[in-house]
PDB file of all heavy atoms in Angstrom:
ATOM      1  N   GLN A  99       0.428   0.205 -19.115  1.00  0.00           N
ATOM      2  CA  GLN A  99       1.857  -0.013 -19.349  1.00  0.00           C
ATOM      3  C   GLN A  99       2.419   1.068 -20.283  1.00  0.00           C
ATOM      4  O   GLN A  99       3.498   1.595 -20.053  1.00  0.00           O
ATOM      5  CB  GLN A  99       2.047  -1.383 -19.971  1.00  0.00           C
ATOM      6  CG  GLN A  99       3.481  -1.836 -20.001  1.00  0.00           C
ATOM      7  CD  GLN A  99       3.556  -3.315 -20.314  1.00  0.00           C
ATOM      8  OE1 GLN A  99       2.829  -3.811 -21.195  1.00  0.00           O
ATOM      9  NE2 GLN A  99       4.388  -4.033 -19.623  1.00  0.00           N
ATOM     10  N   GLU A 100       1.637   1.399 -21.303  1.00  0.00           N
ATOM     11  CA  GLU A 100       2.105   2.433 -22.255  1.00  0.00           C
ATOM     12  C   GLU A 100       2.281   3.777 -21.570  1.00  0.00           C
ATOM     13  O   GLU A 100       3.088   4.589 -21.974  1.00  0.00           O
ATOM     14  CB  GLU A 100       1.073   2.595 -23.383  1.00  0.00           C
ATOM     15  CG  GLU A 100       1.222   1.545 -24.453  1.00  0.00           C
ATOM     16  CD  GLU A 100      -0.018   1.474 -25.341  1.00  0.00           C
ATOM     17  OE1 GLU A 100      -0.814   2.451 -25.380  1.00  0.00           O
ATOM     18  OE2 GLU A 100      -0.183   0.428 -25.985  1.00  0.00           O
ATOM     19  N   ARG A 101       1.477   4.022 -20.532  1.00  0.00           N
ATOM     20  CA  ARG A 101       1.538   5.336 -19.879  1.00  0.00           C
ATOM     21  C   ARG A 101       2.225   5.263 -18.511  1.00  0.00           C
ATOM     22  O   ARG A 101       2.000   6.110 -17.644  1.00  0.00           O
ATOM     23  CB  ARG A 101       0.127   5.897 -19.754  1.00  0.00           C
ATOM     24  CG  ARG A 101      -0.402   6.319 -21.125  1.00  0.00           C
ATOM     25  CD  ARG A 101      -1.863   6.655 -21.110  1.00  0.00           C
ATOM     26  NE  ARG A 101      -2.191   7.734 -20.197  1.00  0.00           N
ATOM     27  CZ  ARG A 101      -3.435   8.195 -20.026  1.00  0.00           C
ATOM     28  NH1 ARG A 101      -4.428   7.685 -20.714  1.00  0.00           N
ATOM     29  NH2 ARG A 101      -3.674   9.171 -19.184  1.00  0.00           N
ATOM     30  N   ALA A 102       3.096   4.257 -18.354  1.00  0.00           N
ATOM     31  CA  ALA A 102       3.704   4.000 -17.044  1.00  0.00           C
ATOM     32  C   ALA A 102       4.476   5.217 -16.511  1.00  0.00           C
ATOM     33  O   ALA A 102       4.388   5.561 -15.335  1.00  0.00           O
ATOM     34  CB  ALA A 102       4.630   2.791 -17.131  1.00  0.00           C
ATOM     35  N   ARG A 103       5.198   5.888 -17.391  1.00  0.00           N
ATOM     36  CA  ARG A 103       6.027   7.007 -16.938  1.00  0.00           C
ATOM     37  C   ARG A 103       5.163   8.134 -16.365  1.00  0.00           C
ATOM     38  O   ARG A 103       5.429   8.672 -15.297  1.00  0.00           O
ATOM     39  CB  ARG A 103       6.851   7.514 -18.119  1.00  0.00           C
ATOM     40  CG  ARG A 103       7.958   8.391 -17.683  1.00  0.00           C
ATOM     41  CD  ARG A 103       8.951   8.637 -18.798  1.00  0.00           C
ATOM     42  NE  ARG A 103      10.199   9.095 -18.221  1.00  0.00           N
ATOM     43  CZ  ARG A 103      11.167   8.289 -17.875  1.00  0.00           C
ATOM     44  NH1 ARG A 103      11.064   6.999 -18.043  1.00  0.00           N
ATOM     45  NH2 ARG A 103      12.276   8.775 -17.346  1.00  0.00           N
ATOM     46  N   GLU A 104       4.110   8.453 -17.115  1.00  0.00           N
ATOM     47  CA  GLU A 104       3.187   9.506 -16.675  1.00  0.00           C
ATOM     48  C   GLU A 104       2.569   9.150 -15.310  1.00  0.00           C
ATOM     49  O   GLU A 104       2.519   9.984 -14.406  1.00  0.00           O
ATOM     50  CB  GLU A 104       2.098   9.614 -17.747  1.00  0.00           C
ATOM     51  CG  GLU A 104       1.021  10.604 -17.461  1.00  0.00           C
ATOM     52  CD  GLU A 104      -0.171  10.420 -18.408  1.00  0.00           C
ATOM     53  OE1 GLU A 104      -0.062   9.649 -19.381  1.00  0.00           O
ATOM     54  OE2 GLU A 104      -1.210  11.042 -18.135  1.00  0.00           O
ATOM     55  N   PHE A 105       2.145   7.906 -15.176  1.00  0.00           N
ATOM     56  CA  PHE A 105       1.529   7.487 -13.916  1.00  0.00           C
ATOM     57  C   PHE A 105       2.530   7.546 -12.754  1.00  0.00           C
ATOM     58  O   PHE A 105       2.170   7.927 -11.650  1.00  0.00           O
ATOM     59  CB  PHE A 105       0.944   6.066 -14.042  1.00  0.00           C
ATOM     60  CG  PHE A 105      -0.483   6.072 -14.524  1.00  0.00           C
ATOM     61  CD1 PHE A 105      -0.781   6.267 -15.861  1.00  0.00           C
ATOM     62  CD2 PHE A 105      -1.532   5.911 -13.637  1.00  0.00           C
ATOM     63  CE1 PHE A 105      -2.090   6.297 -16.315  1.00  0.00           C
ATOM     64  CE2 PHE A 105      -2.843   5.934 -14.071  1.00  0.00           C
ATOM     65  CZ  PHE A 105      -3.127   6.121 -15.410  1.00  0.00           C
ATOM     66  N   SER A 106       3.781   7.177 -13.024  1.00  0.00           N
ATOM     67  CA  SER A 106       4.794   7.215 -11.953  1.00  0.00           C
ATOM     68  C   SER A 106       4.967   8.641 -11.451  1.00  0.00           C
ATOM     69  O   SER A 106       5.055   8.880 -10.240  1.00  0.00           O
ATOM     70  CB  SER A 106       6.163   6.751 -12.450  1.00  0.00           C
ATOM     71  OG  SER A 106       6.058   5.584 -13.160  1.00  0.00           O
ATOM     72  N   ILE A 107       5.042   9.564 -12.394  1.00  0.00           N
ATOM     73  CA  ILE A 107       5.277  10.964 -11.994  1.00  0.00           C
ATOM     74  C   ILE A 107       4.087  11.487 -11.188  1.00  0.00           C
ATOM     75  O   ILE A 107       4.257  12.113 -10.133  1.00  0.00           O
ATOM     76  CB  ILE A 107       5.562  11.828 -13.242  1.00  0.00           C
ATOM     77  CG1 ILE A 107       6.896  11.407 -13.846  1.00  0.00           C
ATOM     78  CG2 ILE A 107       5.565  13.316 -12.904  1.00  0.00           C
ATOM     79  CD1 ILE A 107       7.205  12.001 -15.197  1.00  0.00           C
ATOM     80  N   ILE A 108       2.883  11.191 -11.655  1.00  0.00           N
ATOM     81  CA  ILE A 108       1.697  11.680 -10.933  1.00  0.00           C
ATOM     82  C   ILE A 108       1.628  11.045  -9.541  1.00  0.00           C
ATOM     83  O   ILE A 108       1.310  11.715  -8.550  1.00  0.00           O
ATOM     84  CB  ILE A 108       0.413  11.410 -11.751  1.00  0.00           C
ATOM     85  CG1 ILE A 108       0.468  12.221 -13.055  1.00  0.00           C
ATOM     86  CG2 ILE A 108      -0.841  11.767 -10.954  1.00  0.00           C
ATOM     87  CD1 ILE A 108      -0.605  11.885 -14.058  1.00  0.00           C
ATOM     88  N   GLU A 109       1.972   9.764  -9.456  1.00  0.00           N
ATOM     89  CA  GLU A 109       1.960   9.102  -8.146  1.00  0.00           C
ATOM     90  C   GLU A 109       2.915   9.796  -7.179  1.00  0.00           C
ATOM     91  O   GLU A 109       2.584  10.020  -6.011  1.00  0.00           O
ATOM     92  CB  GLU A 109       2.358   7.624  -8.315  1.00  0.00           C
ATOM     93  CG  GLU A 109       1.923   6.722  -7.189  1.00  0.00           C
ATOM     94  CD  GLU A 109       0.423   6.456  -7.183  1.00  0.00           C
ATOM     95  OE1 GLU A 109      -0.338   7.428  -7.076  1.00  0.00           O
ATOM     96  OE2 GLU A 109       0.014   5.280  -7.248  1.00  0.00           O
ATOM     97  N   SER A 110       4.104  10.138  -7.672  1.00  0.00           N
ATOM     98  CA  SER A 110       5.082  10.790  -6.799  1.00  0.00           C
ATOM     99  C   SER A 110       4.668  12.220  -6.450  1.00  0.00           C
ATOM    100  O   SER A 110       4.929  12.694  -5.351  1.00  0.00           O
ATOM    101  CB  SER A 110       6.468  10.798  -7.458  1.00  0.00           C
ATOM    102  OG  SER A 110       7.030   9.515  -7.367  1.00  0.00           O
ATOM    103  N   MET A 111       4.027  12.911  -7.406  1.00  0.00           N
ATOM    104  CA  MET A 111       3.570  14.283  -7.117  1.00  0.00           C
ATOM    105  C   MET A 111       2.467  14.288  -6.067  1.00  0.00           C
ATOM    106  O   MET A 111       2.453  15.096  -5.154  1.00  0.00           O
ATOM    107  CB  MET A 111       3.007  14.934  -8.392  1.00  0.00           C
ATOM    108  CG  MET A 111       4.056  15.311  -9.412  1.00  0.00           C
ATOM    109  SD  MET A 111       3.280  15.763 -10.984  1.00  0.00           S
ATOM    110  CE  MET A 111       2.573  17.349 -10.588  1.00  0.00           C
ATOM    111  N   ASP A 112       1.534  13.359  -6.189  1.00  0.00           N
ATOM    112  CA  ASP A 112       0.348  13.387  -5.334  1.00  0.00           C
ATOM    113  C   ASP A 112       0.622  12.801  -3.948  1.00  0.00           C
ATOM    114  O   ASP A 112       0.008  13.213  -2.967  1.00  0.00           O
ATOM    115  CB  ASP A 112      -0.782  12.600  -6.023  1.00  0.00           C
ATOM    116  CG  ASP A 112      -2.161  12.996  -5.511  1.00  0.00           C
ATOM    117  OD1 ASP A 112      -2.267  14.068  -4.886  1.00  0.00           O
ATOM    118  OD2 ASP A 112      -3.126  12.248  -5.744  1.00  0.00           O
TER     119      ASP A 112
END
Side-chain angles (χ1 to χ4, degrees):
Q99 192 166 42
E100 278 164 20
R101 288 170 59 180
R103 195 167 199 91
E104 178 193 350
F105 271 78
S106 312
I107 293 170
I108 296 170
E109 201 73 300
S110 284
M111 287 169 73
D112 202 17

